[in-house]
Amino acid sequence: DAAMPLWRRLAAVASAAASLPEAVGSEWPACQERDLVIRAAGQALFTNLQGYGATGGCFLDDCIHSDKFSASDITLCAKVCFSIPACEWWVWGSEDGEQKCWFRTGDDGRQVTKEKPGKWTSGHKSCFPPGTTVLARGNAKCWAEDFGYDTCCDPTHGPTGNIQCWDGVYTFDSCCFPPQEL
């Protein structure tokens, strides 16, 4: 709340940080919790991962409504979680021979996995590489004024987005997908 005095906001942040697990708040990569998987346990975060560049390994092959995607690097898990407001935890592991990221709204499904050391690694939203910034959904070069990802690309507008957004320069394909896949 902007009306709340700065000292009170800082105290609230410090209080919240004190309740997080010890690994959280450490510097990357020390903040990662190795051999820990966070199962869904009712806290799987299903969201539009396609807008961040996810193209495969998604739940039921649908990256528009998924809690996971195939990823080539653990840093992608941290960067995408950092970019999704509702994400609190990310998980890096293997499923069906593919490395993937999963996203969670909480950690109720915490499970230590010593039987296969190194298979799983998890991290809190605050665990990310230095220099991480919020990822833009779609192609950031397309958005201005009243035109943004939600206005133009939201799945509720159908498979080709909001037709009022597109002209000869801006198209669904060039704007609703990032220039690079994850």
Side-chain angles (χ1 to χ4, degrees):
D1 185 287
M4 184 185 295
L6 178 60
W7 68 268
R8 186 167 286 172
R9 285 185 293 191
L10 292 174
V13 169
S15 174
S19 68
L20 295 174
E22 190 174 312
V24 175
S26 301
E27 290 189 30
W28 182 270
C31 56
Q32 299 172 14
E33 296 187 49
R34 303 219 186 271
D35 300 320
L36 174 74
V37 62
I38 301 174
R39 305 280 181 203
Q43 295 182 318
L45 175 58
F46 282 83
T47 190
N48 182 351
L49 297 172
Q50 179 179 284
Y52 295 104
T55 59
C58 298
F59 181 74
L60 299 177
D61 294 321
D62 181 6
C63 293
I64 290 177
H65 186 73
S66 183
D67 69 329
K68 63 184 176 178
F69 71 94
S70 295
S72 60
D73 189 273
I74 192 172
T75 61
L76 296 174
C77 305
K79 290 176 181 181
V80 171
C81 182
F82 182 78
S83 301
I84 301 172
C87 184
E88 289 298 322
W89 292 88
W90 54 264
V91 179
W92 165 254
S94 178
E95 180 184 60
D96 301 327
E98 285 184 271
Q99 288 300 121
K100 294 185 179 183
C101 298
W102 284 262
F103 303 99
R104 305 289 183 244
T105 58
D107 66 339
D108 286 352
R110 292 174 77 87
Q111 180 182 2
V112 176
T113 59
K114 296 292 184 187
E115 74 280 355
K116 293 185 179 178
K119 180 178 178 181
W120 300 101
T121 300
S122 298
H124 186 264
K125 181 183 200 114
S126 64
C127 181
F128 52 83
T132 295
T133 58
V134 172
L135 299 172
R137 291 184 298 157
N139 184 344
K141 293 179 181 178
C142 293
W143 314 133
E145 296 177 23
D146 295 333
F147 294 94
Y149 187 87
D150 290 330
T151 303
C152 297
C153 305
D154 190 279
T156 60
H157 297 298
T160 57
N162 182 346
I163 60 170
Q164 295 177 1
C165 294
W166 317 130
D167 60 19
V169 175
Y170 300 104
T171 67
F172 178 82
D173 288 336
S174 67
C175 294
C176 295
F177 300 96
Q180 295 181 322
E181 293 179 6
L182 292 176

